[in-house]
Amino acid sequence: MDLLTVILSMSASAALTLGLVYFIVWLRQGASPANLWFAIASLSGVGLAAAEFIMLQAPSAAAYGDAQRWGQLALVSVLGSLTWFAHFYFRVKRGPWPWLICGWLGLVLAISFAEPYGIHYQEITALVSREMLGQTLQVAVGTPGRWRRLGEIGAAMVICFVLYAAISAWRRNDYRDRSRALVVGLALSVFLIVLASQLFLVNTGRVDSAILLGPLFMILVVAMAYKLGVELLLSSRLTTELDESRERLALAADAAHLDFWEYDPARDRFWISERLLHLAGFAPGQPVTLAAWLDRIHPDDRREIAEKAARLLKQGGRETFEYRIHSADEEIHWFAGRARYLPGRGANAYGINLDVTEEHQRVHELGQLQRQLAHASRVAMLGQLASALAHELNQPLGAILRNTEAAQLLLASAYPDQGQLRAILEDILRDDRRAGEVISRLRRLFNQQTSEYRPVDFMALVDDVTALLRSEATMRRISLSKELEPGAAIVHGDPIHLQQVLMNLVINGMDALDAHGANERSVCISASRRDDGMLAVCVSDSGPGVSPGLVKSIFEPFYTTKSTGMGVGLSICRTIIESHGGKIWVDTQAGPGSAFRFTLPLEPAPLPS
Amino acid sequence: MNASLPVVFVVDDDDASLRATARLLEASGLSVRTYACAEDLLAGLDDARRGCIVSDLQMPGLGGLELQEALVAAGCRLPLVFLTGHANIPSSVRAMRGGAEDFIEKLAPAAELLAAVYRALRRNEHDLVEQGRRTALGARFARLTPREHEVLLMVVHGRLNKQIAGDLGIHERTVKLHRTAITTKLGVHSVAELTSLCHEAGLLEPDDRTYPKGQ
């Protein structure tokens, strides 16, 4: 085999291989059209080499001319696609130049197909055999074509554009752009300049040789192959770094109780980080669909989360979530999460989840402690009231006893008065109920350690409290009164806790009267609805009042001005009122005594039927 | 003197207790009047003298002990029986010092309450008899002239006629005449009888009243 065949077929196959590689990269990645244009240029280069091979062995001048025309097509294709390649590869700003160049090249091509011997020759007079690279090659001899300057101008335009593109990439001062400009820009320029000068020199007859453009393509192939290799290396390094960074992220995420997930809406598949996947009871590698995931969410949260997910997938944007998951070990885990989704073809939704179970547990435990403290203080308070409560209970019991004894006496007489007996039995029943109510009121106050929120009529609550404290007030010679706006006032709350607040405030008022031996001895509970949907309650006394300096500290825990007591009463009152969405404060302006005021949000009034 | 039946005045702020206590007392054959508060009782008492008061100790407004004070101030001498749901020592001591007849827990058996009420009624009866006697005595002593009264006091204090005559600057014979008038007016026969009568009339009590006021 001769050297020319080897060189031409080698460069053709190299161009073909590289062209295919770039074509596949473009097909798979689709990111930059530069890859496609280089593939086209490479394949055109293969065409060029093939045309030249035929040309150099052409049997006649006419055959030479034909082959040259097809070679011209390949050449124009190479130049045009390289222009576009440079445009995209060097990320040149949008402009008319590539279009202009391609238009020009198209014109040249049209002329070359219109002329009988192509653009280079007006007429080929003869074919001369030359010995070159160990083979006899046919070289055309004839008058130069009229239009060949156009071709030269076209080539010059491409060179200028490529240089311009490479230089502007270099100027961008970016590492990647510079390396591209240097390697690819240089190779492109050298390739084009050598190509143009060979054409120029041979066509003008300054050098007497056959034209061989195909092998020149090797310059570009080498440069692009080098670039590809470097990028491969880079990408493998990036892969390693990515793995490392993933590892670091996973470590940090694990420490911070963070989990990641990704959702592919097209395939309805979740990718979920391992910890969360395991927690939700999925086996590794088990496909997780949206429905399967929602199924693991606590039933109370499921609907809300499903609605949010549907909205996010429909509209895109960002969303925050908070939900519970029944874990595989039958424990409830709390999660707070964020998700993001930008709708589009092949786009995924992403999100992070933060495990906030511990925080929730702490809040829960704190609430439990507060309830226990409230309970302890309530029991202590009831202990102080023991003698009054015993009196409250002895009242109906004493009445029952007297009634029974009276009935016995009546029955002992010859003609017992039936009406009287009936009245006695009715009274006994009523007093028995009354005693039962006192006991059940007390039992509720003593027992309840959990919190139970429900709609409560606050006005009825005040009645309950005044009933319980009536004896205490009587024993202390204090008049306990109430001024309630008529009608019910429904608040959403824990009746026992709210009663505790009232009792605490009333007893505080009584203590203040005792401590200072006030002349007028009265405590008053008033409650009225405000326009802003709040219930305003006031417990006032005729004592000496709270000095303005104490207004703040009085609600602090363990603050007390009394000789007995722990000083937790008012702090518990504040905790209770605030957990009901209200506020509590001391009003020093209200009058001579002290006035403790608090507010509670009212339930919306039921529509009048 | 009022010859009507004795009345038990019951006062209790707790309606049920009031009714039950009243029923028991009525079933025991007593005549009862009920009041819902101490103020009503004070207003409705008029000048009742036969009977006793059964009062709750703890009442809003005027309490049991205040009622006791108000009764003393008004000169009412009806015995008081206190009822209490829950007795504490300081208030019981105060009540007893103030002259309360008794102090009964509300849960005490009927027998105890009735015993206390009967005791109070008996005391009231006794007080009335005593009072009547004193009134009668007072009327007898009122017949003495001032000089005779002077002589009487000296006699019961053991002074001899001669000493009395010397003290008053009168003749011993005049003293004898006064003594005869005294024994005649008071209807006694001996000095011992006279002394006992004066004692009964309260003339010999340690207080410095020398002359019984007419009652």
Side-chain angles (χ1 to χ4, degrees):
Chain A
M1 199 184 285
D2 61 285
L3 194 57
L4 183 75
T5 316
V6 171
I7 289 172
L8 278 176
S9 54
M10 238 178 70
S11 54
S13 62
L16 185 68
T17 311
L18 199 65
L20 276 174
V21 168
Y22 273 90
F23 182 71
I24 288 165
V25 169
W26 171 77
L27 207 63
R28 281 296 174 88
Q29 215 168 32
S32 166
N35 291 332
L36 175 66
W37 286 114
F38 185 77
I40 295 173
S42 300
L43 297 177
S44 309
V46 174
L48 186 63
E52 276 176 352
F53 190 73
I54 295 163
M55 223 159 77
L56 294 174
Q57 290 172 341
S60 65
Y64 188 94
D66 274 348
Q68 198 191 27
R69 259 204 293 277
W70 289 108
Q72 195 72 38
L73 170 65
L75 185 60
V76 161
S77 169
V78 166
L79 291 175
S81 51
L82 282 180
T83 304
W84 282 111
F85 167 72
H87 176 77
F88 288 113
Y89 193 70
F90 296 123
R91 298 193 283 131
V92 179
K93 272 185 225 137
R94 229 171 243 279
W97 291 108
W99 294 107
L100 211 64
I101 292 167
C102 287
W104 189 273
L105 292 173
L107 181 69
V108 171
L109 191 64
I111 294 170
S112 104
F113 272 90
E115 293 289 318
Y117 295 97
I119 198 170
H120 294 300
Y121 297 100
Q122 184 72 33
E123 189 185 6
I124 295 176
T125 47
L127 289 176
V128 183
S129 291
R130 285 271 156 75
E131 283 293 322
M132 233 179 112
L133 299 166
Q135 211 191 357
T136 315
L137 299 178
Q138 306 298 325
V139 177
V141 177
T143 48
R146 281 179 292 175
W147 305 102
R148 66 189 163 86
R149 293 275 172 233
L150 292 180
E152 281 156 18
I153 290 170
M157 280 166 82
V158 174
I159 291 171
C160 289
F161 180 74
V162 166
L163 280 172
Y164 157 74
I167 287 167
S168 64
W170 175 266
R171 281 208 183 137
R172 266 203 297 277
N173 221 352
D174 173 89
Y175 159 74
R176 275 180 72 120
D177 280 337
R178 287 207 152 184
S179 126
R180 282 174 168 194
L182 193 68
V183 179
V184 180
L186 202 65
L188 262 178
S189 312
V190 168
F191 164 72
L192 287 169
I193 290 167
V194 171
L195 182 137
S197 49
Q198 197 191 8
L199 276 176
F200 179 74
L201 293 175
V202 174
N203 285 348
T204 51
R206 286 173 209 193
V207 171
D208 187 20
S209 158
I211 295 173
L212 268 180
L213 300 178
L216 285 180
F217 213 80
M218 286 299 279
I219 300 172
L220 264 188
V221 167
V222 168
M224 289 305 283
Y226 167 76
K227 212 60 217 146
L228 194 66
V230 166
E231 266 164 25
L232 253 175
L233 277 174
L234 198 69
S235 89
S236 96
R237 203 165 68 217
L238 279 177
T239 312
T240 320
E241 275 175 13
L242 195 64
D243 280 347
E244 280 169 9
S245 132
R246 266 208 187 129
E247 200 63 33
R248 281 197 293 271
L249 193 61
L251 202 67
D254 200 40
H257 292 214
L258 264 176
D259 297 291
F260 299 96
W261 57 262
E262 203 178 318
Y263 176 69
D264 179 355
R267 290 168 56 232
D268 187 19
R269 279 285 181 280
F270 265 107
W271 171 88
I272 298 169
S273 65
E274 214 171 308
R275 209 185 73 97
L276 184 56
L277 196 69
H278 176 73
L279 205 73
F282 288 105
Q286 183 182 349
V288 181
T289 62
L290 182 58
W293 182 251
L294 285 174
D295 195 47
R296 303 298 158 110
I297 290 177
H298 194 280
D300 293 353
D301 302 335
R302 196 176 293 151
R303 222 182 105 170
E304 187 198 331
I305 299 298
E307 280 169 6
K308 280 190 172 181
R311 193 167 59 223
L312 182 71
L313 289 176
K314 199 174 156 208
Q315 300 169 356
R318 288 163 196 279
E319 196 65 79
T320 56
F321 299 94
E322 182 150 350
Y323 58 90
R324 285 161 284 177
I325 281 184
H326 261 307
S327 72
D329 49 4
E330 287 304 312
E331 275 181 28
I332 287 181
H333 285 257
W334 286 86
F335 288 98
R338 281 168 179 282
R340 199 183 55 153
Y341 178 58
L342 299 172
R345 199 171 61 86
N348 285 356
Y350 300 91
I352 54 164
N353 270 16
L354 183 62
D355 191 335
V356 290
T357 311
E358 279 176 24
E359 283 78 355
H360 270 275
Q361 256 159 10
R362 266 199 291 278
V363 169
H364 181 70
E365 276 162 20
L366 188 66
Q368 214 162 20
L369 276 177
Q370 274 170 352
R371 281 194 295 278
Q372 278 166 4
L373 184 63
H375 178 250
S377 120
R378 202 158 62 226
V379 169
M381 184 167 72
L382 291 171
Q384 287 169 14
L385 298 177
S387 121
L389 294 173
H391 182 253
E392 190 65 33
L393 201 55
N394 278 349
Q395 207 81 276
L397 292 181
I400 290 173
L401 183 67
R402 293 288 166 260
N403 273 321
T404 315
E405 287 159 347
Q408 277 173 339
L409 285 177
L410 284 176
L411 286 170
S413 69
Y415 302 103
D417 178 348
Q418 297 283 329
Q420 182 82 340
L421 282 173
R422 202 170 295 119
I424 284 176
L425 285 177
E426 272 166 21
D427 273 8
I428 287 178
L429 267 179
R430 227 192 39 209
D431 283 324
D432 184 75
R433 266 202 296 277
R434 203 170 111 202
E437 272 166 26
V438 173
I439 288 176
S440 65
R441 262 205 289 274
L442 281 178
R443 201 169 52 192
R444 279 200 298 273
L445 284 168
F446 270 119
N447 278 356
Q448 197 202 23
Q449 293 200 33
T450 54
S451 199
E452 189 191 319
Y453 277 58
R454 57 186 173 81
V456 186
D457 178 8
F458 194 85
M459 304 306 191
L461 218 72
V462 175
D463 290 342
D464 257 16
V465 168
T466 46
L468 265 174
L469 292 176
R470 194 183 48 208
S471 293
E472 176 77 11
T474 308
M475 283 172 115
R476 296 208 204 181
R477 321 281 326 125
I478 291 169
S479 107
L480 173 60
S481 58
K482 52 191 176 189
E483 288 169 16
L484 306 181
E485 213 176 81
I490 307 296
V491 296
H492 188 75
D494 182 329
I496 299 302
H497 281 170
L498 293 176
Q499 270 189 46
Q500 182 174 358
V501 172
L502 275 176
M503 284 177 78
N504 213 313
L505 294 179
V506 171
I507 290 172
N508 272 354
M510 291 182 176
D511 288 349
L513 292 174
D514 281 354
H516 296 274
N519 276 336
E520 198 212 321
R521 296 167 67 79
S522 65
V523 175
C524 176
I525 307 175
S526 62
S528 58
R529 297 171 198 81
R530 284 201 325 212
D531 289 343
D532 60 355
M534 300 291 270
L535 179 71
V537 186
C538 177
V539 177
S540 55
D541 63 62
S542 57
V546 179
S547 78
L550 301 182
V551 164
K552 283 256 170 352
S553 46
I554 204 165
F555 289 103
E556 296 296 321
F558 307 113
Y559 183 88
T560 182
T561 55
K562 299 181 201 166
S563 53
T564 57
M566 288 193 293
V568 293
L570 282 177
S571 105
I572 291 171
C573 288
R574 186 174 63 177
T575 309
I576 292 174
I577 292 301
E578 285 176 359
S579 73
H580 280 77
K583 269 173 64 185
I584 184 166
W585 70 98
V586 183
D587 189 349
T588 51
Q589 310 290 317
S594 58
F596 282 84
R597 294 180 183 277
F598 63 86
T599 56
L600 288 172
L602 281 165
E603 294 272 277
L607 292 171
S609 51
Chain B
M1 198 191 288
N2 197 340
S4 63
L5 280 171
V7 175
V8 183
F9 300 90
V10 184
V11 53
D12 194 327
D13 65 301
D14 188 70
D15 186 43
S17 293
L18 178 66
R19 220 167 34 239
T21 310
R23 269 194 198 119
L24 177 72
L25 296 175
E26 272 167 358
S28 311
L30 293 162
S31 155
V32 178
R33 276 158 76 178
T34 58
Y35 301 91
C37 65
E39 288 87 343
D40 286 359
L41 173 72
L42 284 173
L45 215 46
D46 297 327
D47 55 351
R49 290 167 67 186
R50 295 201 68 190
C52 68
I53 299 173
V54 173
S55 166
D56 190 5
L57 189 64
Q58 284 127 359
M59 289 180 289
L62 214 55
L65 296 176
E66 285 96 324
L67 172 66
Q68 190 176 31
E69 283 165 20
L71 287 172
V72 170
C76 171
R77 308 182 85 174
L78 292 176
L80 248 171
V81 174
F82 278 126
L83 294 179
T84 171
H86 187 81
N88 59 358
I89 291 169
S91 63
S92 3
V93 169
R94 222 180 114 194
M96 294 314 259
R97 275 212 188 122
E101 176 63 39
D102 237 319
F103 208 88
I104 307 292
E105 288 209 24
K106 282 196 171 175
L107 288 182
E112 219 172 285
L113 172 65
L114 289 173
V117 169
Y118 284 129
R119 210 160 37 237
L121 290 177
R122 268 200 307 278
R123 192 177 115 183
N124 173 248
E125 210 60 44
H126 180 262
D127 281 353
L128 288 175
V129 169
E130 190 68 12
Q131 225 173 311
R133 267 170 60 83
R134 283 195 185 204
T135 314
L137 267 177
R140 277 154 85 183
F141 280 100
R143 297 217 299 263
L144 301 181
T145 63
R147 178 60 91 183
E148 284 167 356
H149 207 272
E150 256 177 309
V151 173
L152 170 68
L153 280 176
M154 285 174 167
V155 171
V156 294
H157 277 98
R159 307 284 287 177
L160 298 176
N161 286 355
K162 205 187 284 177
Q163 290 170 316
I164 297 169
D167 286 353
L168 297 176
I170 52 171
H171 204 274
E172 196 182 337
R173 197 180 178 80
T174 319
V175 175
K176 280 187 180 168
L177 280 174
H178 280 313
R179 283 184 71 150
T180 311
I182 290 166
T183 47
T184 311
K185 281 181 180 172
L186 295 180
V188 293
H189 303 98
S190 66
V191 176
E193 235 178 302
L194 193 65
T195 311
S196 133
L197 198 67
C198 285
H199 194 87
E200 230 174 274
L203 290 178
L204 291 181
E205 274 163 351
D207 65 356
D208 52 10
R209 282 190 299 169
T210 53
Y211 195 83
K213 293 196 174 91
Q215 285 177 6

